[in-house]
Amino acid sequence: MTRLVAPPPSPTRAEVLAWLDTPAAERSGLYRRADDVRRRWCGEAVHLRGIVEFSNVCANDCLYCGIRRSNRAVRRYRISADEILEVARRMAGWGQMTIVLQAGEAPSEVGDRELGATIRRIKQETPLAVTVSVGNRPREVYAHWRECGMDRYLLRFETSDPALFARLHPDCTLADRLRCLEDLRDLGVEVGSGFMIGLPGETLDTLADNILLCRRLDLDMVGIGPFLPHPDTPLGGERNAWAKDPEMFFVALAALRLAHPRARIPATTAFDAAFPGRGRDLALQRGADVFMPNSTPAPRRRDYQLYPGKPCVDEEPGHCAECVVFRIRGLGRTLGLDLGGALRYPVGPPGNGGIS
Ligand code: 5AD
Ligand code: FES
């Protein structure tokens, strides 16, 4: 019997603002609460999602992104289906039960069909869950990928402020993005979204609204990470809105966990770029329950830099796979060896008679 548990009510805006406004001296208490909530709702297991950045070709010109169309300094690549399959076949052995197929947003009939065929092959030839992250598409394309076996989709809304969104994205609106998320949910795909922390012009109010939007969208997964100005983009000369207080990145993460107890929350790579060597570990202790090791073949990693300071650009996938397991064990956590999909309400907290 599944014990039914009502979802905790969404916090009020005032509550979220109060968490975000926690004075520096009291932040360790906030982190502890977030860690407790994570333990209660997600357990001690950290699930790995190996990310394969299979193409950096992009038709969009988002002002913050290193692989934007206008950045001529980027050497463009696309990894073949065979090469993707080669990595995919090794991933379960590394404890990576999900493959995340990420690329720039480059819609094309041929490319979208090819991706469908790749998803189908991964589902036939491996036990992995398949997450796709390639940007906005019409519902029909998502529906096709779903038929091919796509389990999950990641598409960040980046900021909940429509005016700020418009300034940063010449190619789409916030409403378009939200429409995509709705289509995906409707098609039975597990949906992940999220935002960047500290976009220029962002305030504490924006941050609170971002967190509340995650809860309102009832996301299965929420990925957030610091905005890092990339020198070859129009925002290269800007600073992160929280540059004077980078601990705010973790405060935002902890507040997100308190607001969204059951969401899968990755310790994103950008935390390591902001806090080299320890950002992702700290994130796992302050609310996160998922780690996304880079499983892109080594020669391509340098050409997929959305932001500067990306770690592991010279490592082979097998190296990151081992390193990650050490990092997680070092934190006293275990590896989640099931598929680690969405934790839904109603569900009993792990170890309390519920299913997880
Ligand atoms: N700094 C931090 N994160 C970035 N992303 C893209 N560019 C940057 C940057 N300069 C994030 C976006 C995107 C995700 C794949 O990477 O949030 O959704
Ligand atoms: Fe890549 Fe540690 S995660 S080397």
Side-chain angles (χ1 to χ4, degrees), residues 280 312 315 319-320 323-324 327:
R280 283 184 284 183
C312 315
E315 316 302 333
H319 180 89
C320 282
C323 167
V324 159
R327 288 177 82 158

Side-chain angles (χ1 to χ4, degrees), residues 272 280 291-294 301 311-313 315-317 319-325 327:
D272 257 28
R280 283 184 284 183
F291 199 106
M292 297 171 72
N294 192 329
R301 294 184 177 200
C312 315
V313 285
E315 316 302 333
E316 289 290 343
H319 180 89
C320 282
E322 263 179 46
C323 167
V324 159
V325 173
R327 288 177 82 158

Side-chain angles (χ1 to χ4, degrees), residues 107-127:
S108 91
E109 214 169 297
V110 175
D112 289 351
R113 291 246 146 233
E114 252 175 46
L115 179 54
T118 305
I119 296 168
R120 222 185 266 285
R121 281 182 66 190
I122 295 172
K123 294 305 286 185
Q124 280 165 357
E125 298 175 32
T126 78

Side-chain angles (χ1 to χ4, degrees), residues 64-66 102 133 155-158 177 194-196 199 223 225-230 233 270 304-308:
Y64 46 80
C65 183
Q102 192 176 78
S133 179
L155 181 64
R156 291 189 183 173
F157 59 75
E158 314 294 0
R177 190 59 61 92
F195 55 88
M196 276 178 279
L199 286 169
F227 158 67
L228 301 152
H230 189 300
T233 65
Y304 197 90
Q305 298 207 50
L306 312 183
Y307 46 80

Side-chain angles (χ1 to χ4, degrees), residues 4-27:
L4 300 189
V5 178
S10 179
T12 63
R13 195 159 186 276
E15 277 175 295
V16 178
L17 278 168
W19 294 332
L20 293 173
D21 216 8
T22 305
E26 290 164 33
R27 283 175 181 168

